[in-house]
Amino acid sequence: MSHLYEKTASDLAGLLRSGKVSSVEITESVLSRIESLEPAVHSYVNVYPDLAVSMAKKADEDIRRGTAKALTGIPIAIKDNMCLEGRKTTCGSHILANFRPPFDSSVVKLIKDERMVILGSANMDEFAMGSSTETSCWGTTHNPWDIERTPGGSSGGSAAAVACGQAIVSLGSDTGGSIRLPASFCGVTGMKPTYGAVSRFGLVAYASSLDQIGPFARDIRDMSLLLNLIYKHDSLDSTSVEIGHSDFTSFLDNSVSGMTLGLPTEFFGKLTNEDVEKNLSEARRIFEKQGVNFVELSLPSLDYGIAAYYIIAPCEASSNLARYDGVKYGHRAEKFDNMIDMYCRTRAEGFGQEAKRRIMLGTYALSSGYYDAYYLKAAKIRTLITQDFKKAFESCDAILSPVAPAPAFKIGEKIDDPIQMYLTDVFTIPVNMAGLPGISCPAGFSRDGLPIGMQLISSHFQESKLVQLVSAFQRETDHHLKRPAI
Ligand code: GLN
């Protein structure tokens, strides 16, 4: 490995501390990688070389002074829905095309305090609605493993950037799979932490009861370092839970012998893709070799996960997106006859097709007379899903499942068929519905050389178990070390 952009954050942190390289050198290496690959991959909405280099200089000063922290000087990309003071935060939407937040989101504050280096904002589906990054108003991101395929979504830019060295680590958000799916499609490690574990303050809301910020990295060590940084109580987020955690890296070397993994029959019954099936059974074999026990279990309500999610998420979205009316900030139509006309034109011009579809779905489901039939019913299903998981965790430490039914699909393949697109998240959505932590880790490759991820799910605030299991897996395998030949 000759380039700095190919190295992991923990290797780079070692080099920084020993004075062998500077943060400015690392940052320049990543920035030049961004420049050379952006025309093909398009991971970013905005790249900030000026900001990145000035942050890197400050990081180098800290390192010289001996006040560096674990991730000081490491370049990071943040998804385009996390507020970064004074810089555009667009959510992949025309309606926020020129929005510059006057404040930092809490995760950005933590990144700045750590003296990490912010590279820019990563591309995403509009308002995080999608599974392919194709609904971004800035154009789609391409999968670095195969430019004709999608990187997954909605955090496609964050995943693609880490996969091809356009960032060392990144942050995404996950409402129904938006971290785990792109991690799986791009061959990187990504986690959706427990709901409430990471502050959502300054994260532009999509479906507030499901949204959660989480890390992307090339291996579990880097992912744990970033998780350590963001896994903090925040009084600015009323759903933030005050729960301490130990250093996640302290679980990396623990043995997994004697742990039990659950295999949900409903999930495996749905598997039709041979490559995914093969890699999952191989993963099981690797865990068994390390002394992990397996139990089959049933999660009967999971079958209703997608149907219930596509009521709850659009309901919350229709309410959250009501604020974009052209009055306080964001796009405003230039020509209009009166106030109502201004609202209508602003929203008609500003939102893309998928956002409009969700707003209409949600508004309809919440309208008078329909609430009980749709929203209330979906909320009840959500409770059943949560109970199913709770019961499952009485007999296992974590659940092993696929991340997606198949490897990365082609750009354009599903964009005109929303139902097919929605079905991509069949294995990830129930995890958000129950507020559980879930991780996606490289588990192998398809016959065409596309990455395939596996998902591990644990009970609330048991992220350390996921770290422990994935670390044991990555000690025995080299899938996470493979990089796309781009
Ligand atoms: N694909 C799902 C949706 O469109 C999940 C997206 C997400 O997790 N943000 O709602």
Side-chain angles (χ1 to χ4, degrees):
M1 279 212 202
S2 46
H3 299 288
L4 291 173
Y5 65 74
E6 291 172 297
K7 297 188 186 297
T8 60
S10 62
D11 285 348
L12 291 170
L15 292 173
L16 283 169
R17 247 171 268 129
S18 66
K20 290 201 177 97
V21 295
S22 67
S23 174
V24 170
E25 285 170 309
I26 298 170
T27 303
E28 279 169 353
S29 167
V30 178
L31 286 172
S32 73
R33 183 74 171 159
I34 294 175
E35 206 182 318
S36 66
L37 289 188
E38 266 309 85
V41 182
H42 189 32
S43 300
Y44 285 88
V45 173
N46 285 298
V47 184
Y48 302 126
D50 55 331
L51 175 71
V53 172
S54 81
M55 291 180 99
K57 283 183 181 154
K58 284 196 186 129
D60 282 332
E61 279 167 29
D62 276 16
I63 294 164
R64 258 191 305 275
R65 246 187 264 123
T67 53
K69 303 182 185 132
L71 287 170
T72 298
I74 304 297
I76 184 169
I78 56 168
K79 189 174 177 177
D80 195 30
N81 59 356
M82 294 165 201
C83 290
L84 173 58
E85 189 184 337
R87 305 271 170 168
K88 285 182 185 169
T89 301
T90 80
C91 286
S93 181
H94 275 308
I95 211 153
L96 287 177
N98 293 310
F99 172 58
R100 290 173 195 266
F103 66 96
D104 280 330
S105 48
S106 291
V107 286
V108 163
K109 244 187 244 143
L110 292 169
I111 286 169
K112 287 185 173 173
D113 288 348
E114 185 84 355
R115 284 236 193 275
M116 292 186 78
V117 173
I118 297 177
L119 296 159
S121 54
N123 199 13
M124 57 181 278
D125 280 295
E126 184 176 14
F127 285 102
M129 297 168 181
S131 307
S132 64
T133 318
E134 288 168 285
T135 70
S136 166
C137 78
W138 311 113
T140 191
T141 297
H142 298 253
N143 191 317
W145 291 89
D146 177 352
I147 289 303
E148 288 179 6
R149 291 180 190 267
T150 115
S154 63
S155 316
S158 305
V162 171
C164 66
Q166 293 185 309
I168 304 300
V169 291
S170 66
L171 286 184
S173 66
D174 189 314
T175 306
S178 280
I179 291 176
R180 290 157 289 156
L181 183 73
S184 171
F185 282 8
C186 293
V188 298
T189 303
M191 181 194 273
K192 180 204 96 72
T194 309
Y195 184 78
V198 176
S199 172
R200 289 182 298 110
F201 179 76
L203 169 73
V204 179
Y206 159 22
S208 314
S209 76
L210 302 157
D211 298 340
Q212 192 59 197
I213 292 175
F216 285 99
R218 295 193 200 121
D219 67 15
I220 188 67
R221 181 174 295 275
D222 280 11
M223 202 222 70
S224 308
L225 288 169
L226 189 51
L227 189 62
N228 276 347
L229 177 65
I230 59 174
Y231 202 103
K232 301 234 160 69
H233 173 250
D234 180 12
S235 55
L236 296 173
D237 172 0
S238 61
T239 58
S240 167
V241 178
E242 200 154 6
I243 191 154
H245 71 88
S246 32
D247 174 4
F248 288 108
T249 64
S250 70
F251 296 91
L252 292 170
D253 298 325
N254 287 5
S255 157
V256 290
S257 176
M259 283 177 93
T260 303
L261 281 178
L263 297 171
T265 45
E266 288 80 5
F267 276 17
F268 285 88
K270 279 196 182 56
L271 264 189
T272 49
N273 183 287
E274 268 179 47
D275 288 325
V276 176
E277 221 174 339
K278 195 180 120 255
N279 281 294
L280 261 284
S281 3
E282 179 58 17
R284 175 179 177 165
R285 206 187 53 76
I286 287 160
F287 278 125
E288 275 172 344
K289 230 177 73 189
Q290 297 184 78
V292 173
N293 307 309
F294 279 81
V295 287
E296 281 203 3
L297 44 86
S298 174
L299 300 163
S301 319
L302 260 54
D303 278 347
Y304 307 104
I306 293 215
Y309 173 89
Y310 277 99
I311 297 292
I312 292 173
C315 283
E316 294 186 20
S318 72
S319 159
N320 276 328
L321 270 53
R323 71 191 72 172
Y324 308 108
D325 56 8
V327 176
K328 286 208 198 80
Y329 48 82
H331 173 74
R332 178 186 298 175
E334 273 177 19
K335 290 197 189 102
F336 49 85
D337 296 334
N338 52 45
M339 191 181 68
I340 299 292
D341 190 42
M342 188 277 281
Y343 289 157
C344 292
R345 284 175 195 265
T346 293
R347 290 169 69 82
E349 290 167 12
F351 289 125
Q353 228 190 350
E354 188 59 30
K356 284 178 185 161
R357 181 180 291 126
R358 310 270 178 122
I359 292 170
M360 285 191 279
L361 266 174
T363 309
Y364 178 82
L366 287 176
S367 55
S368 157
Y370 292 109
Y371 180 88
D372 287 3
Y374 296 111
Y375 187 82
L376 194 65
K377 211 170 203 173
K380 285 178 179 167
I381 291 173
R382 188 173 186 173
T383 303
L384 291 176
I385 292 175
T386 310
Q387 285 168 353
D388 275 1
F389 274 118
K390 199 166 172 221
K391 190 153 166 264
F393 290 123
E394 285 168 9
S395 62
C396 64
D397 294 290
I399 289 169
L400 174 66
S401 93
V403 179
F409 50 92
K410 289 239 166 85
I411 291 170
E413 196 179 315
K414 300 187 192 218
I415 194 70
D416 296 322
D417 189 346
I419 302 285
Q420 282 310 311
M421 188 72 89
Y422 297 173
L423 287 171
T424 318
D425 297 318
V426 61
F427 301 124
T428 48
I429 275 176
V431 180
N432 301 70
M433 299 283 269
L436 297 166
I439 193 166
S440 170
C441 149
F445 291 85
S446 71
R447 280 160 293 183
D448 312 337
L450 297 170
I452 292 176
M454 65 176 176
Q455 175 174 230
L456 288 159
I457 308 158
S458 70
S459 81
H460 297 110
F461 303 106
Q462 297 297 309
E463 284 84 353
S464 56
K465 282 188 184 166
L466 303 180
V467 168
Q468 191 176 341
L469 285 157
V470 169
S471 178
F473 187 79
Q474 293 190 349
R475 279 200 297 277
E476 291 294 315
T477 54
D478 63 357
H479 311 304
H480 63 288
L481 300 175
K482 304 219 168 97
R483 300 272 59 93
I486 187 169

